[in-house]
Amino acid sequence: MSRLQTTENLTEEQQELLNLVRQFVDEQIIPVATDLEHKDEYPTEIVEGMKEMGIFGLMIPEEYGGLGESLLTYALTVEEIARGWMSVSGIINTHFIVAYMLIQHGTEEQKQHYLPKMATGEIRGAFSMSEPGLGSDVAAIKSKAVRQGDTDDWVIDGQKMWLTNGGSSNLVAVLVRTDLGESSSPYKNMTTFLIDKTAGFGETAQGVTVPGKIDKMGYKGVDTTELVLTGHRTTSAQILGGEPGKGFYQMMDGVEVGRVNVAARACGVSMRAFELGIAYSQQRETFGKKIAEHQGILFRLADMATKVEASHQMMVKAARLKDSGARNDLEAGMAKYLAAENCADVVEQSFRIHGGYGYSKEYEIERLYREAPMLLIGEGTAEIQKMIIGRRLLEDYKLKG
């Protein structure tokens, strides 16, 4: 293991699992990642390998067929996988958020129905808050579910955006408006519905259409899609937790742990960029010596390594705090903000170390350079994280009197 990104006080079981994951990444992901990414090809064999290892059920309780591991174990696993290829970590991260929301907020019937199959990867999850004209303003969502009289039947119409796993998933947790007149707050008039569909594109269920993959600058391989709901009929049994009006808070709970995992993904990408940069600096020669011997390159390596380590430790703190049962929105926001910003910088510095070769698709750093920007946006932009951090700091440091 590297001296960087070490984690104190792991159990023997955690260490064994992480060693297995690192071996899987080194042998099964890194050798094929760049080729699959350039083809924008879904990593089917890699996903099957993760199913066999039980990664899709890592945090699902043992009573529902999962491994019952902690958020910390999951985050460290994501960090390793993202080191190999960030797109693969995206496939499990969205699945994990849906599973977490079911564990924390689902009815017992919903847990029994979905979680055992989610643990094996037979059911794969995606979730959706954003819409085409929405951005970070979740309160402005327009997709709407309307109750049919006094029955338990609902009809949903709307258009959702930026679904990771939108095509490959067969379960989507969707946040919509349900204006029942019980509150003036938009946040108390939102509900999360669980929508079953088939994997693929086109009409994937009654009134549910996944138009196709969105072509992206990076973060390829994994499918990112829209979701169009046109007269989709469902029932109250598919409301997460069985009660309308709680969807916003359920989604925010899921996104909070999702931020820890985005931080972990940024840590993994940063580590890979550092590995590539320090290796290349010891191979390339200029002016009669290895470029690692030039002071300017040494300064870059020192800066990169420091940022890799700082991001990792902040991410670990946020995960451990959540595992303890404490509120961690401040630390999760800090971890996501720090790790994403540091990742963008570390990748760029590694790119600069590679010089002109970094611009060539033959070199892995070119892929990382296109992937890092997504982490600045996913699960809340830097500006959103700073708002969360600032508000929480004011709570904790409020002047008395």
Side-chain angles (χ1 to χ4, degrees), residues 17 20-30 32 36 42-60 65-67 74 76-96 117-125 164-165 168 219 221-222 265:
L17 174 63
L20 284 173
V21 172
R22 175 168 278 256
Q23 182 180 356
F24 178 77
V25 168
D26 288 340
E27 295 177 359
Q28 305 297 324
I29 297 182
I30 290 177
V32 301
L36 290 174
Y42 189 81
T44 301
E45 292 186 13
I46 293 172
V47 169
E48 290 302 315
M50 292 195 300
K51 285 182 183 179
E52 293 178 11
M53 295 173 68
I55 289 177
F56 282 96
L58 201 58
M59 275 193 67
I60 293 175
L67 299 180
Y74 188 86
L76 295 174
T77 299
V78 166
E79 182 180 53
E80 289 291 347
I81 291 172
R83 175 181 151 267
W85 184 13
M86 191 185 74
S87 292
V88 178
S89 65
I91 291 170
I92 57 172
N93 187 44
T94 49
H95 173 87
F96 152 72
K117 292 182 179 179
M118 293 186 80
T120 63
E122 180 182 346
I123 290 179
R124 303 237 294 283
T164 301
N165 288 344
S168 55
Y219 198 37
V222 60
R265 291 156 73 181

Side-chain angles (χ1 to χ4, degrees), residues 365-379:
I365 190 63
E366 181 271 342
R367 169 171 61 83
L368 270 59
Y369 196 74
R370 289 182 290 102
E371 289 178 337
M374 198 286 294
L375 296 165
L376 298 170
I377 301 167
E379 254 76 313

Side-chain angles (χ1 to χ4, degrees), residues 32 53 103 105 184 210 284 334 362 386:
V32 301
M53 295 173 68
I103 294 165
H105 305 288
S184 60
V210 180
R284 179 84 163 106
M334 285 181 167
E362 294 181 16
K386 286 191 257 190

